[in-house]
């Protein structure tokens, strides 16, 4: 597959708007996967299934939850969040990595490509767990090596150019590799090599990438980490931009009760169950509002 098949943020954003529905699932660590899966489960419990979306766009944790939605496996992977026998690596962002993020954002001056390049340099120089150990974790979160037969897309950033790309089944990148790339948090997990490029987390410059909903007229944004680091744009800013363009949007973020259940470290796998249960409760509560935007299938 040629490099031209890898679509960047910029070609996507100038694409002609369509009358359609998109689900955007943001990043937020291992607890973000659990919470988003819980939200999707709660919505389904209440009769609102987002699987018929014209686009399912996942960033980092959202790439895994998006895969479950696209493959019709939300129930299975909701239940899996309560299983203690998992191949996960407990981790936490070091003060040095957080400082490097802040520096890259400040030096980027509001240009996500410049920020992405700075984070790419940091990621490529960082000492992390091995690519093999990380690949085992990613594989354990997926039930298939094949892309679902659905419009699933995953964000990832080219570590050298700083460009944000959308990876899908036409990109020539295997599902697990794309998911690993989308979740390759700089300074925490290793960058991922594919298609002659090195990739880092698609949520490095925006935790949700909600602006990718600009091509659709109805959008549901599920954002475990609604606020970015100081100086970066969060989900609420991007949703406000979508609304200013006439897009109907509903934003779901963790409520206070769920935030307490998740705790301070989104990479703590022991918090998966409480996060999933909180998401399910919130999904059930939000179902009517979501349906008002989403409409009936």
């Amino acid at each position: 597959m040629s490099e031209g098949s890898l679509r960047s943020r910029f070609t996507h954003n100038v694409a002609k708007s369509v009358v359609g529905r998109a689900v955007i699932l943001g990043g937020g660590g291992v607890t973000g996967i659990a919470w988003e899966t819980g939200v999707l489960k709660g919505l389904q419990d209440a009769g609102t299934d987002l699987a018929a979306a014209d686009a399912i766009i996942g960033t980092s944790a959202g790439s895994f939850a998006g895969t479950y939605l696209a493959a019709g496996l939300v129930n299975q992977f909701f239940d899996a969040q309560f299983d203690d026998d998992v191949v996960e690596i407990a981790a936490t962002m070091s003060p040095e990595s957080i400082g490097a993020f802040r520096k890259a954002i400040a030096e980027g001056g509001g240009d996500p490509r410049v920020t992405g390049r700075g984070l790419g340099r940091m990621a490529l120089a960082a000492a992390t767990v091995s690519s093999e150990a990380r690949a085992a974790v990613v594989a354990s979160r997926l039930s298939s090596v094949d892309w679902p037969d659905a419009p699933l897309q995953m964000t990832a950033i080219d570590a050298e150019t700083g460009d944000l790309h959308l990876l899908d089944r036409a990109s020539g990148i295997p599902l697990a590799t794309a998911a690993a790339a989308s979740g390759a948090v700089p300074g925490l997990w290793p960058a991922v090599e594919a298609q002659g490029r090195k990739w880092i987390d698609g949520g490095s410059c925006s935790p949700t990438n909600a602006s990718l909903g600009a091509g659709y007229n109805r959008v549901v944004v599920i954002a475990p980490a609604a606020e970015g680091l100081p100086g970066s744009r969060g989900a609420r800013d991007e949703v406000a931009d979508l609304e200013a363009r006439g897009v109907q949007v509903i934003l779901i973020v963790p409520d206070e009760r769920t935030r307490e259940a998740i705790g301070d470290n989104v990479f703590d796998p022991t918090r998966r169950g409480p996060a999933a249960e909180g998401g399910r409760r919130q999904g059930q509560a939000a179902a009517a509002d979501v349906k008002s935007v989403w409409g009936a299938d």
Side-chain angles (χ1 to χ4, degrees):
M1 188 67 63
S2 69
E3 290 189 359
S5 65
L6 298 173
R7 290 178 293 156
S8 75
R9 158 182 53 211
F10 310 104
T11 56
H12 178 92
N13 280 355
V14 299
K16 185 177 180 180
S17 295
V18 297
V19 177
R21 302 179 297 183
V23 182
I24 297 178
L25 299 131
V30 67
T31 59
I33 298 173
W35 177 77
E36 288 179 297
T37 305
V39 171
L40 295 171
K41 168 66 172 169
L43 290 172
Q44 289 183 2
D45 289 346
T48 301
D49 189 348
L50 305 181
D54 297 288
I56 299 170
I57 302 171
T59 287
S60 198
S63 291
F64 293 94
T67 300
Y68 308 155
L69 177 64
L73 297 173
V74 168
N75 287 340
Q76 173 183 326
F77 280 95
F78 175 79
D79 291 342
Q81 303 310 312
F82 300 91
D83 186 354
D84 293 331
D85 185 20
V86 293
V87 184
E88 290 287 348
I89 301 171
T92 187
M93 289 289 287
S94 69
E96 293 77 16
S97 292
I98 294 173
F101 261 88
R102 294 180 186 275
K103 180 181 178 182
I105 291 169
E107 293 179 347
D111 186 332
R113 284 174 292 182
V114 176
T115 300
R117 288 196 293 271
L119 289 171
R121 289 191 294 272
M122 184 266 276
L124 296 177
T128 67
V129 302
S130 69
S131 296
E132 292 76 15
R134 176 61 178 164
V137 171
V138 170
S140 74
R141 297 175 181 170
L142 302 171
S143 64
S144 173
V145 297
D146 299 319
W147 284 86
D149 187 18
L152 173 65
Q153 303 167 68
M154 300 180 182
T155 67
I157 292 175
D158 184 319
E160 295 183 356
T161 68
D163 285 340
L164 179 71
H165 289 259
L166 287 167
L167 310 180
D168 59 18
R169 66 187 306 165
S171 68
I173 296 178
L175 175 66
T177 303
S182 187
V185 181
L188 188 67
W189 309 127
V192 173
E193 294 190 30
Q195 290 284 39
R197 304 170 188 241
K198 294 182 179 179
W199 302 96
I200 60 173
D201 195 311
S204 297
C205 299
S206 164
T208 307
N209 290 307
S211 61
L212 294 173
Y216 304 89
N217 66 338
R218 288 177 285 169
V219 177
V220 175
V221 179
I222 304 175
E227 306 301 331
L229 289 172
S232 65
R233 286 173 59 77
R236 290 182 176 85
D237 295 324
E238 294 180 326
V239 165
D241 290 345
L242 291 178
E243 291 175 333
R245 297 175 63 135
V247 180
Q248 296 182 66
V249 190
I250 184 165
L251 172 64
I252 304 174
V253 302
D255 60 16
E256 183 176 358
R257 181 176 165 188
T258 298
R259 291 195 301 272
E260 290 178 356
I262 290 172
D264 296 329
N265 182 12
V266 300
F267 302 106
D268 181 355
T270 68
R271 299 296 185 115
R272 292 158 54 251
E277 192 53 55
R280 182 180 188 179
R281 173 180 51 79
Q282 286 193 253
Q284 291 170 339
D289 290 337
V290 171
K291 190 172 184 177
S292 71
V293 168
W294 195 250
D297 290 316

